[in-house]
Amino acid sequence: MNNSALITITDLVKRFPMGKREFTALSNINLTFNGGEFAGIIGPSGSGKTTLLNIIGSLDVPTEGKAVVLDNSVGNLNTRQSADLRNQYLGFIFQTYNLLAVYTVFENVELPLLLLKMAASERRKLVNQSLEWVGLTDKVNSRPAQLSGGECQRVSIARAMVKEPKIVLADEPTANLDAKNSHHILQTMEKLNADLGTTFIFATHDEKVIQYLKRKISLEDGQVVADEVKG
Amino acid sequence: MIRFIINGLLRDHHRSLFPIIIVAIGVWITVFMQAYLSGVLGDMTDSTARFSTGHVQIMSRAYADNKDQVPNDLALMGVERIMTEMEAEYPEMTWVKRINFGGLIDIPDEHGETRSQAPVAGFGIDLLSPNSTELHTMNVSKSVVRGHLPENPGEILISEMLAEKLEVNLGDQATLVTSTMFGSMTMHNFTVVGTIRFGIQAMDRGAIIADVTDVQQALDMQDAAGGILGFLPNRVYDNEEALAIVEKFNAGHTDENDEFSPVMGNLVELSNLGGYLTYAGQFSTYLVVIFVIIMSIVLWNAGLLGGLRRYGEVGVRLAIGEPKGHIYRSLIYESVFIGIVGSIFGTALGLGCAYWLQVVGLDISAFMKNSSMMIPSVFRAEITDQTYYIGFYPGLFATVLGTMLSGIGIYKRQTAQLFKELEV
Ligand SMILES: Nc1ncnc2c1ncn2[C@@H]1O[C@H](COP(=O)(O)OP(=O)(O)OP(=O)(O)O)[C@@H](O)[C@H]1O
Ligand SMILES: [Mg+2]
C-alpha cells in the first residue's frame, strides 16, 4: 500500500518561532496521498492549510515528523535537491496567478521548460499542448495585463501542467475569480486529473472548490479533524 | 534562459532603463573628469616644460637654489662644452640654452627721449640658428600677432599686450635696461619686428623674446646661460626617463662645494607640478572609488525596490524548481549586461564631452588676469588610453556590487517566507 503512495506524512509538527515562544501551526498530522487524487485541504483561515501545502511542495520543512514526497524526505533535502524535486515532479498554482508581466502567455508557460536542456521545437510543442488543455491557444502572444482573471489563472494552470508533473499544488486558486470562472478552471483541472492522472491537492475554503473535491481533509487549529472521500 | 533574461531586460524598463541611465551618468562624469584632468595636467606639464624647465634642466648649483630670482650673476658657465657633451651622450634628445632676464624696456621718441617704459620678463632663446627647435618649442611662429620673426641679430618680439601699452609700432627701437652678469648696469638697443601672444597670462603681460646670442652679448654672458634645457625624444614628459638622466648627470658632477658647478633637475622637482601629478593620479582613483560607492548604493536600493517588484518572479522561479543560486546568478548576469551597456553609453557621452573640450577648449583667461602660473588660459581635455576604459570600473563594478547586495536579501530569505510575501 505504502509503495503506491505519492506522499506520506507521518507525525508531522510545524512550529514557527514567535518572539520568545513558538507557535504551533500544524500538529500530529498523518496523511497519505495516492496517485490520481483530487483532494483538498479545507478549513478556516489560519488553520494551517498553506503551511501544509508548502511542506508538501518542499518550500518549507517539518519541525518534527516526516513528509515523504515521491520517496524524498522533505526535511532532509538540501536546497538544490528540493529545487530538483519541484522542477521534476511538482506544479504550483497560486491565488494571485504570479504570471510575469513582461512575458507573453507563451513565454510564461515555457518558463519551467527553460531549466531543462530541451530543444526549442520540443518546448513549443509542449507549451502549445498545455495551452490547448486550458483552451487558450488563441492568446499565445498576449501579455498577462491583456487577459481576464480567469484567463490568467488558466495560463498559470498551463504553466503548472506543461511538464506534466505528478502533483499539482493549488493554494486558493479561485479566491480572485468569479463563480463562472471558478467553475471553468475547476472543470479544466478535473479533466486534466481524469485524462492525465495528475494528482491535484488544493488548499481552500471556497465552497465552489469543495464541491468538486473527491477527498476533503479538514484542518482546524493545525490538526486534521476529518478526512472524507466522496461517495 | 539567456533569451528569457534579455527579453525581460528589454521589456521591463524599470529593470533596464533606470539602472542604465544611472550607470551611464556616473560613467559619463568619471570619464569626462578623467579626460579633463589629464588635459589640464598635460597642458600644465607641457607648457611648464616648454616655457620654463624643459624635461630636465642643467643650472649652476647657486642659480638652481635661487632660480626664482633669475640670478644671472650666478649663471652656468662653459655652456657650449656641456651642451656638446650632452648632445653626444643623448643624441636623440634636444638640448637648448636659455637665458631668462629681467629689466626695463624703454621706448624712445624721435629725439631719443623716453616715450614710454615698462618692466619686462625677457626670454633669450635660440631664434636664429637655422636648425633651432625653439621656435617650435615655445610655439613662437604661431603666436605672432603682428610683424614677423626676428631674422637678424638685434631684432626682438614683444608681447602684444605690452606693445599696446607702450604704443610700440613694428620697426620701432626699444632699449633694454638691465644689469650684466657681473652686476653693472647696461643698455642695449633692439628693433621690435613683431608682437606675440602665447595665451599664457603670466607671459603675455610683459614678455620680450630675443635671440640668446644677443642676450649673451647684452648681459656680458660669454659662454654662459641661465640654464640648459633638455627635451626627451618624443617630447612627452616621462618622469622615470627624466629621473634616470638626472641621476646619471648628477653622479658625474658631485662637486657640491663649487656653487658654479652644474647640477641637473627634472621637470617635476624644478616646477611645483610634482604635487599636482601625484594628486591627479590619486584623484582619478578616488573618483572611481567614490562613484563605485555612490552608484552601488543607488543601484542597491534600486535593486531592492526592483527585487521587491520582482518577488513574484523570484517566487515563481523557485516554485518551478530553479535553484536559488541559479536565480542569483541570473540577476548578476543581468547586472553585468546593464553595467556594460551603461558603461558604453556613459563612456561615449564622456568621450563626446571630452572631445568637445579637447577641440574647443574652455577659456579661463578672465580668471587668470593676475596669475603668474605657467598654465595656459584655455583649458582643454585630453583623451588618453585611460579615458576609454576608466568608466568601466565604476560602471561594471557598481552594478554588479549593487545587485549582489540586493540579491543577498532574496538569497537569504526562507523559501516559504518568500511565498508568504508573495501573497500580500
Ligand atoms: N512564517 C511564519 N511565522 C509565524 N507564523 C506563521 C508563519 N506562517 C504561518 N504562520 C501562522 O501559522 C498559522 C497557519 O497559517 P497558514 O498560512 O497555513 O493558514 P491558512 O490555513 O493557509 O490560512 P488562510 O486561509 O488565511 O490562507 C497562522 O496562524 C499563521 O499566522
Ligand atoms: Mg493560506
Side-chain angles (χ1 to χ4, degrees), chain A residues 4-7 33-38 166-167 193 197-200:
Chain A
S4 68
L6 282 188
I7 301 162
F33 293 90
N34 294 313
E37 288 211 46
F38 203 72
K166 287 249 187 316
I167 304 163
N193 171 253
T198 312
T199 299
F200 281 82

Side-chain angles (χ1 to χ4, degrees), chain A residues 16 50-51 54 58-60 79-80 82-84 86-88 90-92 94-100 102-104 107 110-115 123 143 159 163 171, chain B residues 1 3-9 11-13 15 310-324 326 329 334 411 414-417 419-420 422-424:
Chain A
F16 292 109
T50 298
T51 306
N54 278 347
S58 83
L59 295 169
D60 210 343
T79 55
R80 179 95 211 184
S82 69
D84 279 348
R86 292 196 294 274
N87 181 19
Q88 287 178 33
L90 305 181
F92 289 84
F94 307 93
Q95 172 183 333
T96 50
Y97 327 133
N98 286 321
L99 300 178
L100 307 186
V102 295
Y103 297 101
T104 63
E107 288 163 335
E110 189 188 25
L111 181 61
L113 302 178
L114 293 177
L115 291 174
R123 292 203 300 265
R143 297 278 183 85
R159 182 178 62 193
K163 279 198 287 194
D171 195 351
Chain B
M1 202 73 210
R3 231 195 49 214
F4 171 79
I5 293 173
I6 290 177
N7 276 339
L9 276 175
R11 292 178 199 163
D12 186 352
H13 291 179
R15 216 195 294 178
R310 292 176 72 187
Y311 266 4
E313 179 187 339
V314 172
V316 166
R317 287 168 69 176
L318 284 171
I320 63 164
E322 190 172 348
K324 277 183 177 179
H326 198 274
R329 275 198 303 280
E334 279 185 22
Y411 201 68
Q414 288 295 317
T415 311
Q417 195 55 36
F419 279 84
K420 276 260 140 42
L422 256 176
E423 283 168 17
V424 272

Side-chain angles (χ1 to χ4, degrees), chain B residues 23-245:
Chain B
V23 172
I25 290 173
V27 169
W28 177 10
I29 296 170
T30 310
V31 167
F32 179 73
M33 288 298 282
Q34 189 277 340
Y36 173 75
L37 209 65
S38 54
V40 169
L41 274 159
D43 278 353
M44 279 166 83
T45 311
D46 192 53
S47 53
T48 303
R50 286 166 183 273
F51 293 106
S52 175
T53 65
H55 294 154
V56 295
Q57 186 177 3
I58 305 168
M59 292 171 276
S60 75
R61 283 176 198 278
Y63 189 101
D65 289 342
N66 301 289
K67 66 180 162 30
D68 292 342
Q69 298 159 22
V70 201
N72 279 326
D73 50 331
L74 305 173
L76 184 68
M77 314 283 282
V79 167
E80 295 309 321
R81 184 181 50 78
I82 298 175
M83 278 185 66
T84 315
E85 277 171 20
M86 295 317 291
E87 275 160 1
E89 188 166 358
Y90 302 101
E92 307 281 287
M93 288 179 65
T94 310
W95 298 93
V96 297
K97 56 176 184 270
R98 287 196 191 163
I99 299 172
N100 292 359
F101 56 93
L104 270 180
I105 195 98
D106 185 293
I107 311 296
D109 61 14
E110 57 268 33
H111 311 295
E113 304 290 327
T114 296
R115 193 177 80 206
S116 50
Q117 224 179 34
V120 291
F123 291 83
I125 65 175
D126 185 358
L127 286 172
L128 299 177
S129 311
N131 53 358
S132 169
T133 54
E134 291 284 72
L135 292 174
H136 169 74
T137 303
M138 299 208 21
N139 207 14
V140 180
S141 317
K142 285 198 186 128
S143 306
V144 171
V145 181
R146 291 185 282 155
H148 59 83
L149 296 172
E151 285 155 3
N152 303 296
E155 296 181 344
I156 58 165
L157 300 168
I158 76 171
S159 74
E160 172 70 17
M161 263 161 106
L162 187 64
E164 280 167 13
K165 195 168 118 197
L166 296 174
E167 293 170 9
V168 184
N169 293 313
L170 300 182
D172 280 359
Q173 215 182 62
T175 307
L176 172 69
V177 183
T178 183
S179 59
T180 69
M181 185 173 169
F182 304 103
S184 50
M185 192 169 120
T186 179
M187 293 200 253
H188 200 90
N189 289 334
F190 292 102
T191 313
V192 177
V193 295
T195 64
I196 198 159
R197 185 186 294 126
F198 288 109
I200 295 175
Q201 288 292 323
M203 292 185 67
D204 284 343
R205 272 199 305 272
I208 70 171
I209 311 285
D211 182 59
V212 69
T213 312
D214 283 347
V215 178
Q216 281 178 325
Q217 271 174 26
L219 306 190
D220 215 355
M221 290 175 71
Q222 260 64 48
D223 199 23
I228 299 171
L229 277 61
F231 293 90
L232 294 170
N234 57 6
R235 294 254 158 186
V236 176
Y237 182 65
D238 179 332
N239 199 39
E240 281 172 23
E241 219 175 323
L243 269 178
I245 296 165

Side-chain angles (χ1 to χ4, degrees), chain A residues 205-223:
Chain A
H205 52 242
D206 180 356
E207 277 306 325
K208 296 189 291 298
V209 178
I210 294 170
Q211 71 189 68
Y212 283 85
L213 298 176
K214 293 186 190 132
R215 178 183 176 192
K216 292 178 239 178
I217 299 155
S218 306
L219 281 189
E220 246 168 58
D221 291 334
Q223 308 222 11

